[in-house]
Each structure stands twice: as structure tokens, then as C-alpha cells.
Amino acid sequence: MEILTTGEMEQADRLAIAGGASGFALMLRAGQAVANAAADLAEEGPVLVITGCGNNGGDGFVAATELAARGYDVSVISLCERNSLKGDAALAAKGWKGPVLPWDPSALGSPALIIDALFGAGLNRPVRGDARVMIEAIIANGAPVLSVDLPSGINGTTGTIMGAAIRATETVTFFRKKPAHLLLPGRMHCGRVRVVDIGIADVVLDEIRPITFENIPDYWQSAFPVPRIDGHKYVRGHAVVVSGNLTSTGAARLSARGALRAGAGLVTVLSPDDALGANAAALTAVMVRRMNDAAGFAEFLADRRLNACIIGPGAGIGDETRALVFTALAAGRAMVLDADALTSFADTPDRLFETIRQSGSSDIVLTPHEGEFHRLFSEMSNKHPLRSKLERVRGAAQRSGAVVLLKGADTVVAAPDGRATIAANAPPWLATAGSGDVLSGMIGGLLAQNVPAFEAACMGVWMHGEAGQEAGPGMIAEDLPEVLPAVWRRLYDRFGIDY
């Protein structure tokens, strides 16, 4: 499903109106949808509607009018004088026949539900003055909150808190989600998100051409790898994982099992001499071969059947790991670079990016967490209050020439051409040692099956989140590969594939 920035959503509104839709009719449908959601949240008791000065406030007036018509005890508090409203919002306010209470936080009372129609998605400056006092009073009130479009105080495009923000029980948004419905911290303030149709035709997307999507299976279904009945293991690709020395072999093994469970036909761990026995003793279906340096790595990659590499988990930081990366790039392999492979280039990131571009490969995936991201892309700091995670990752992909995946509860994947996805299915217990190693292996296993890099990264992220959900609280990284078969079955069922 497409995700629209606030600017793109404004364009969608304009295109719908240019195509013959009435702006006021769109507002009526939006307000009625808010009233429906309010009725679900509060079957009885007083409802308080807090309205702002723009169209979001207009939606609130329509919702108030609709709820009053259904017999609810409704009160309205408005940031603006009714006669100062413009356009469709002014028409909506005229439809409200009850009083408009003064802007007084002490007037909140004890409602069964507060409808937050103050700012919505368009807020682009910090909340101050009377508006901030009201937001803080709503937070302190403790009543359930239904927010219109977005909780007031959240920037719709970046998901950042603009000084203070309401934490909603539920949010009703229109036509498509905005980035802040998925990016943190905005997502934490939205509660359950309800997307409603208000009469904007999907055809407007043909002109908008959005390039941001929610990371769900419908987005990457066309790239989903389904083994052929007449296939064999070599058709499904051969992934290789580079192991570190004896004291850091576990990460490579986790990655290897992730690659195998993700569908690679064969997986080999390339191991230095001192770790060969430990790796061989711990692995069964995953093969183990001796490899001590970049020259030995090049000899292995002379076999074109070894078509995907995972370098980084437990590989060690320094010249040797850099040499392995350059060797794989020179061999033209699909590749996942994670952990130590990224940190090894912290002092010379441009050298890595230039080599990626020179390789001509479009199947390179970088999988940093925030710390590793900062080491490689320090100029794209996460400290700028209006620079979203989405913007940072998209910039990193364009700079590096690779697909970049920035991990977290709101993992963003971006391609150099600007396409990006945001995931929202990762449970909190995925934040455990080794979880990222399994993810890098899963993506490598998908690359081995010739899934394009962007889709492989998106698919791996979603499956990783679902595996975490399947494993449940208390999971450890070793559990993730073991529950992947259940995730595969759910995808087969979802896509109508027999098995």
C-alpha cells in the first residue's frame, strides 16, 4: 500500500477536486468516518471535540454534528473563532448548531471520548502557547482519544514530536497512510490506525507516483520465490557466509541458518583454520569450508554457482574484512554487508561506495543499525529534528549506490532510485543479540534465489518480523530460523500457492 507525504496527500485532494469531487463532500465523508469510529470507541457518555483552524477542524465539526444527530452529548472547543474559519471548514462549522466553548483547558471535564481535530498531519512547526497547553491538558485528562488524520503534535511526514503530542487510542486517516503512521515515535502515538475511503479515486496515484510503501507482502508478491516442481538445490542458489575467528563464530552460523531457512538451495560457511572445528561441529545441513584470506575467497568465487555472499556477522573489523568485501564486489556477487563489514569502512566510507558503483552490481544490501549507519553516513545525522528516518535512509541509498536497510521497530529499506518501504510488524523482543545476523542471512538466502536486492531486503525484513511474532516473547535469535517454515506457509496461503 502506498504511503503519502503530507504534500502528496494535499496533491491527492487537489486532483480529486479537479476531477469533479467536491471538497466539502470529501470533508463530510471524513467527518462521518470520524463519527463512526467515535461511536465504536464510546457507545455512550459525553464526547468532547477539540477543533483547530484548518480542514482538520472542519472534519471535527462534521463529526460533532453527526454524533449529536445520533443522540450523543457533544461539546466543541475550538482554537479559532467560528467566524474566522475559511472555505470548507467554515461550511462545516455552520452545520454545528451547538455552542462553541472557549479555549480553556479546564473545560475538558470528564468525557467518555475526546476527538482530537486540532492539527492533523500538516503540522510543521513546534507547538507553543495555548495549543500546547491544551495538548498537555488532553494528555493529563486520561480520557480515550480519537485523533483525526494524526495525533496533534506529530509531524505527518517525519513522525517527530513537535514539542508535545497527543497519544491517541485510535487514529482515523483518509485515503492512504502518512509516513508518521509507521515511523517512530509517531506510530507510538497513533494507537490503532483506521484508513477510510472518502471518495478519492486511486487514479490520482498515477499522477502523484508515490515511491514510499508500507512493507507488506502485497507490495513484493511479484518477486516472491516459489520453487519449481522440476527444480533442484542448485537452481535455488548457493549462499556463502564468511566466519570470523574462533571467538566469534556464532554470528556467522546464525546468518547461515537464516539463509538456509529463507530458501537458499545450499549454504556454506567459509571458516578460518582456527574456527573450522567449532563451525563444523555445530552445523549439519550448512556446509563448512576452509578459507583464510581474500586470495582463498577469490578461489571459491571462481565457482559461479556461489552466487550470494553475506559478509560481516562476526567477521572482524579491519583490513582483512575490507579485502573480502572488495573481492566479492570484484567477483560481481549479490551481497549483504552487515555489522563488522560496515564498521570496517567507518573511516573510509567513500572508498566502499565508489567500489560498489564501479562493480556495476545492483544487488548489494547494507544492513546497519543506527550506530553503524552513523559511522558510514555521519552527515545524515539523526539529530536534526525535521530529518526523518525515511529521508536519511533514502539519502544513504543514493549516496552509496546500494540498497540500505536501517534496522529498528520501524525498519526502512531504500533503493538508490528512491523507492522505499517502512515496516511495522516487528515485535519488541526482536531486540536481542544475534537477531540482526539472522536477518542478514535471510536476505542473503533470498538473493541467492535471484530475488532483486530491494525486494529481497523488504521481504527479509517482513519475514523476520513475522518470525519474531511466531516465536513470541522470550525468543532468542536461534529461534528465528526454526519458525520460518510457519511464515512461509502463511505466505503461500496468502498468495494462493499450493504446497
Side-chain angles (χ1 to χ4, degrees):
M1 182 63 73
E2 304 87 355
I3 298 171
L4 301 184
T5 65
T6 54
E8 288 170 336
M9 188 61 215
E10 289 170 1
Q11 185 181 4
D13 286 333
R14 290 195 301 271
L15 290 170
I17 292 168
S22 159
F24 187 58
L26 296 177
M27 183 172 285
L28 285 175
R29 294 189 193 105
Q32 288 163 358
V34 173
N36 291 338
D40 290 341
L41 287 173
E43 295 182 1
E44 57 184 20
V47 176
L48 176 64
V49 184
I50 311 290
T51 67
C53 301
N55 284 344
N56 201 250
D59 297 339
F61 274 110
V62 172
T65 302
E66 177 70 18
L67 288 168
R70 299 183 190 184
Y72 279 84
D73 175 10
V74 183
S75 301
V76 174
I77 296 177
S78 179
L79 179 62
C80 300
E81 294 292 335
R82 198 188 308 213
N83 58 12
S84 70
L85 296 173
K86 306 294 184 184
D88 294 330
L91 290 175
K94 286 181 180 178
W96 169 246
K97 303 307 181 185
V100 176
L101 303 177
W103 191 259
D104 183 357
S106 66
L108 293 182
S110 301
L113 178 70
I114 296 174
I115 296 179
D116 159 34
L118 182 52
F119 289 129
L123 184 67
N124 58 10
R125 61 183 183 275
V127 179
R128 295 190 175 94
D130 291 344
R132 178 160 183 161
V133 172
M134 181 62 80
I135 287 175
E136 291 172 345
I138 293 170
I139 295 169
N141 184 271
V145 177
L146 173 64
S147 286
V148 179
D149 207 11
L150 264 172
S152 291
I154 297 294
N155 181 289
T157 295
T158 67
T160 54
I161 298 171
M162 307 300 286
I166 287 169
R167 193 175 288 266
T169 307
E170 185 169 313
T171 298
V172 177
T173 195
F174 315 112
F175 186 53
R176 292 294 188 272
K177 289 180 181 177
K178 318 306 180 293
H181 292 123
L182 300 171
L183 292 173
L184 299 182
R187 191 175 93 212
M188 297 171 65
H189 285 254
C190 289
R192 177 179 178 270
V193 177
R194 182 185 301 211
V195 183
V196 297
D197 176 12
I198 58 172
I200 299 176
D202 287 353
V203 69
V204 302
L205 297 171
D206 295 338
E207 185 163 339
I208 297 171
R209 297 184 179 180
I211 55 174
T212 306
F213 304 86
E214 186 169 0
N215 189 353
I216 57 175
D218 292 351
Y219 176 70
W220 36 259
Q221 179 177 355
S222 62
F224 185 68
V226 182
R228 292 170 42 134
I229 193 68
D230 60 347
H232 50 78
K233 61 187 176 183
Y234 292 102
V235 172
R236 296 176 66 185
H238 190 158
V240 294
V241 182
V242 174
S243 171
N245 60 33
L246 181 60
T247 61
S248 56
T249 57
R253 291 197 295 270
L254 285 169
S255 190
R257 286 194 64 80
L260 197 63
R261 286 291 195 188
L266 303 96
V267 178
T268 295
V269 169
L270 301 180
S271 175
D273 282 331
D274 72 329
L276 201 61
N279 282 324
L283 295 170
T284 48
V286 173
M287 297 175 286
V288 181
R289 301 289 296 276
R290 176 181 287 106
M291 191 274 291
N292 287 300
D293 52 30
F297 193 27
E299 291 178 12
F300 275 108
L301 295 183
D303 184 345
R304 300 300 302 178
R305 294 176 298 178
L306 279 63
N307 63 329
C309 301
I310 300 111
I311 305 176
I317 299 169
D319 291 341
E320 292 182 5
T321 297
R322 284 193 291 270
L324 294 173
V325 172
F326 290 140
T327 298
L329 286 170
R333 292 302 191 270
M335 184 163 36
V336 181
L337 298 181
D338 185 28
D340 291 351
L342 301 176
T343 302
S344 290
F345 288 94
D347 295 332
T348 56
D350 288 335
R351 186 181 176 200
L352 172 62
F353 304 154
E354 182 60 29
T355 308
I356 288 173
R357 293 185 183 282
Q358 290 175 351
S359 75
S361 176
S362 60
D363 288 323
I364 310 298
V365 182
L366 313 182
T367 61
H369 56 55
E370 281 285 2
E372 293 157 349
F373 184 92
H374 181 72
R375 293 177 201 127
L376 287 181
F377 305 102
S378 58
E379 75 283 8
M380 299 175 193
S381 170
N382 62 355
K383 299 186 186 302
H384 191 290
L386 294 181
R387 178 174 287 167
S388 73
K389 185 173 184 176
L390 178 62
E391 179 187 358
R392 291 189 291 125
V393 180
R394 189 171 270 145
Q398 291 168 348
R399 182 183 168 200
S400 66
V403 171
V404 177
L405 181 164
L406 180 52
K407 291 179 277 198
D410 54 351
T411 294
V412 173
V413 179
D417 63 10
R419 288 174 298 156
T421 64
I422 308 171
N425 69 325
W429 44 87
L430 272 178
T432 186
S435 172
D437 301 321
V438 176
L439 173 61
S440 64
M442 290 168 60
I443 296 169
L446 293 163
L447 290 173
Q449 297 167 79
N450 295 312
V451 178
F454 180 66
E455 287 78 5
C458 295
M459 200 177 299
V461 166
W462 187 88
M463 293 178 71
H464 189 248
E466 292 299 298
Q469 297 280 9
E470 182 74 22
M475 59 144 274
I476 57 175
E478 286 93 326
D479 298 330
L480 293 170
E482 309 316 307
V483 298
L484 276 175
V487 176
W488 278 110
R489 285 192 292 271
R490 285 206 293 275
L491 284 170
Y492 272 51
D493 290 340
R494 182 169 184 157
F495 295 153
I497 300 169
D498 292 332
Y499 59 92

